[in-house]
Amino acid sequence: MHVATLATEDDFEGWRDSARKFASLKVSAGAIVWQVGDAVGDLLAATADPVPLVDVALPFSVPRPFVDLSRMAIRHSDPERFGLLYALLLKVRDDPRVLQDQTDPQVRRIELMAKDVRRDIHKMRAFVRFREIGFGEEQRFVAWFEPSHHIVRANAAFFVDRFASMRWSILTPDVSLHWDGTTLREAPGAARSDAPDGDPLEETWKTYYASIFNPARVKIGAMLKEMPRKYWKNMPETALVPGLIASAQARESAMVTASRDALGANATVSWAALRDEAMGCTRCPLFKDATQTVFGEGPLDARLMFLGEQPGDQEDLAGKPFVGPAGQMFDRALDQAGLDRQVSYITNAVKHFKYEQRGKRRIHAKPNGGEIQACRWWYGQERELIRPLVTVAMGATAARQMLGKVVTISGTRGIPHRLDDGSEGWVTIHPSFLLRIQEKAEAEAEYLRFVDDLKRVKERVAALS
């Protein structure tokens, strides 16, 4: 059994020298115990008799990408990293092309380790927060940070370059850095209690942060991905984040309301402003592939609202709801039921077209729960402006948006539903369902049933008016 002792957790040069000598002796990866300093990395190392290594390793070369990959991955916190890198070194020495094989489990594992390290380096640069202590000659800026990997030394040059004129210290559990304006010193790790809790400027900063926090741009999942909660305790503004997130929708509604009030409660102008805002909606990923947002249309004093599922191919191109084949079927049924489309407000539960590309055709794909929820705010704002007496949800996606839960058409069709604002909701099929029925007799029967649903809706609008 061979024992290799490295000076520090990120001692790449020490690892490279030892690995080169072991490889010259053709020592297998399983015959080496790697340890840092006096720490024993393996129980066998305590009783191992180190085998003398050759003073000068036999020369051999490896691709530069392997050196760069190893230099990054060795900073990972995985205790097996030294052995994994050595095993891959032997593999690369025999076949340099193995680095190009993305299916190789060793290559893949070490690349993921390097990726984790790069991300941790970025996190330290982004989330270190200095706090001022002392005055005059004693003034200094101190930060506390808890990296996931051994990346403090790798970041030293960055902080020296960026804060060259400051005297600062970065304290971490494993190693600390101290810069006096001319010399960088390394010191042992510290405890969280060694760092200050705040400074006089933090209250001013938190006030400013709260004032610029934009609830319309809140993406909680993305924010937590970029700024995990483990870093929150180091940054003064994050104490405000939970409350700002909790009130985000209320604040967003207040913004719309304030805008509406400022415009003299002019419903037409307010609706136009809401539609224009929706044109830039990025609440879910559907905006990336859709041509445009397809907002609702119709008179703002409409007593009847029709809620479809989502725009189709032609609606996506035209920017108007129900103008394709399903729209033509809808118009035909409205006419037969004695309803006037021109006095109804027509919109969709989801405002962007979701589809699958098949050759030159774009085939409708069903929106998922997250996409439906993302559009719920726009639907709610439309309802607040229109205030319809009756709303007709056409299709399961529309019914889910209107009722706020997953339902079936068969279980909710043909009966009135009391909505949160006190108005009445009805559920029926989506007109596109009729286009998919192959049997002519069945299609005609379903069409007539759809018309009967619309006739009943007409009666309810008259009764509630």
Side-chain angles (χ1 to χ4, degrees):
M1 181 65 68
H2 298 267
V3 178
T5 302
L6 306 180
T8 62
E9 294 281 1
D10 56 350
D11 182 10
F12 174 74
E13 299 302 331
W15 174 85
R16 181 166 62 176
D17 289 344
S18 295
R20 183 184 294 119
K21 293 175 181 179
F22 284 131
S24 296
L25 289 173
K26 298 184 179 180
V27 177
S28 67
I32 306 171
V33 174
W34 298 89
Q35 63 184 42
V36 177
D38 296 328
V40 177
D42 190 296
L43 290 176
L44 293 176
T47 58
D49 294 322
V51 176
L53 298 178
V54 293
D55 292 331
V56 179
L58 297 176
F60 66 90
S61 62
V62 293
R64 182 68 192 183
F66 174 79
V67 177
D68 296 337
L69 178 66
S70 301
R71 192 185 301 275
M72 187 64 64
I74 208 165
R75 300 178 177 124
H76 201 276
S77 58
D78 189 334
E80 298 180 356
R81 65 193 182 280
F82 305 118
L84 291 171
L85 285 169
Y86 179 72
L88 184 58
L89 169 65
L90 298 180
K91 210 171 192 179
V92 170
R93 184 184 62 173
D94 295 338
D95 182 8
R97 296 171 300 176
V98 73
L99 284 178
Q100 302 172 15
D101 184 1
Q102 296 299 310
T103 64
D104 185 283
Q106 285 179 285
V107 174
R108 182 61 179 157
R109 181 174 177 182
I110 291 175
E111 285 185 341
L112 289 175
M113 289 166 63
K115 181 179 179 180
D116 289 343
V117 170
R118 285 191 293 269
R119 181 177 176 83
D120 207 32
I121 288 173
H122 167 72
K123 295 303 181 189
M124 182 174 178
R125 295 177 181 182
F127 300 135
V128 159
R129 291 293 185 272
F130 288 104
R131 291 180 165 101
E132 183 180 4
I133 60 173
F135 300 94
E137 294 296 324
E138 300 299 322
Q139 184 190 51
R140 192 170 193 83
F141 295 86
V142 181
W144 169 258
F145 189 74
E146 298 177 56
S148 298
H149 305 290
H150 305 290
I151 49 87
V152 176
R153 294 183 185 89
N155 263 331
F158 170 84
F159 286 98
V160 168
D161 291 342
R162 186 164 186 177
F163 303 105
S165 61
M166 285 172 38
R167 289 184 297 179
W168 51 260
S169 296
I170 299 178
L171 311 181
T172 78
D174 295 326
V175 63
S176 299
L177 300 177
H178 303 284
W179 172 254
D180 62 7
T182 57
T183 304
L184 180 68
R185 291 188 301 107
E186 184 178 306
R192 176 68 180 86
S193 58
D194 295 328
D197 290 328
D199 65 31
L201 291 177
E202 285 194 4
E203 289 305 316
T204 302
W205 164 243
K206 288 194 286 187
T207 300
Y208 170 73
Y209 181 82
S211 70
I212 63 170
F213 185 85
N214 186 353
R217 298 178 66 86
V218 171
K219 305 289 184 195
I220 297 174
M223 184 180 71
L224 289 175
K225 181 179 180 181
E226 288 302 315
M227 187 172 66
R229 293 184 186 274
K230 66 171 286 186
Y231 301 113
W232 287 25
K233 58 182 177 292
N234 300 327
M235 297 182 291
E237 66 270 26
T238 51
L240 306 174
V241 171
L244 292 172
I245 291 177
S247 62
Q249 186 163 329
R251 293 180 66 199
E252 192 171 0
S253 297
M255 288 167 60
V256 174
T257 301
S259 173
R260 188 182 306 144
D261 292 343
L263 293 170
N266 186 317
T268 300
V269 176
S270 297
W271 176 85
L274 185 67
R275 178 200 57 198
D276 291 345
E277 186 179 353
M279 292 299 127
C281 180
T282 59
R283 286 172 169 264
C284 76
L286 294 185
F287 79 95
K288 296 178 182 179
D289 297 321
T291 303
Q292 59 191 314
T293 302
V294 180
F295 208 63
E297 65 175 15
L300 303 185
D301 59 352
R303 293 174 294 175
L304 176 59
M305 172 184 281
F306 285 99
L307 181 65
E309 295 189 311
Q310 69 159 353
D313 179 73
Q314 294 187 32
E315 287 81 4
D316 174 66
L317 297 174
K320 292 178 174 292
F322 284 93
V323 295
Q328 296 170 15
M329 179 68 73
F330 178 50
D331 288 343
R332 174 188 163 199
L334 284 175
D335 183 65
Q336 193 163 337
L339 286 168
D340 186 353
R341 174 170 175 157
Q342 300 305 312
V343 299
S344 303
Y345 187 85
I346 300 171
T347 189
N348 280 300
V350 174
K351 303 295 193 266
H352 284 117
F353 179 33
K354 182 176 182 179
Y355 62 90
E356 296 176 359
Q357 192 75 44
R358 296 182 187 173
K360 295 183 178 181
R361 298 181 63 198
R362 301 191 300 173
I363 306 301
H364 167 280
K366 184 177 180 179
N368 61 38
E371 292 154 354
I372 296 170
Q373 182 62 35
C375 260
R376 188 166 182 79
W377 192 84
W378 299 116
Y379 166 65
Q381 292 300 313
E382 286 180 294
R383 289 192 61 80
E384 188 174 334
L385 279 170
I386 309 303
R387 298 186 181 278
L389 295 175
V390 177
T391 301
V392 181
M394 298 186 291
T397 296
R400 177 173 180 172
Q401 188 72 285
M402 182 180 74
L403 299 176
K405 60 183 179 181
V406 178
V407 296
T408 63
I409 300 298
S410 60
T412 53
R413 187 177 185 178
I415 55 174
H417 301 272
R418 184 175 181 82
L419 305 182
D420 291 341
D421 59 3
S423 64
E424 194 168 283
W426 289 75
V427 176
T428 187
I429 60 168
H430 192 278
S432 62
F433 169 72
L434 300 171
L435 300 174
R436 296 193 297 269
I437 301 176
Q438 300 297 317
E439 174 60 42
K440 183 176 181 181
E442 181 185 356
E444 184 62 25
E446 286 294 342
Y447 171 77
L448 293 176
R449 188 181 176 193
F450 179 50
V451 171
D452 286 342
D453 287 343
L454 297 181
K455 288 180 178 179
R456 182 176 295 185
V457 166
K458 179 184 177 182
E459 294 172 357
R460 291 305 299 155
V461 172
L464 295 171
S465 297

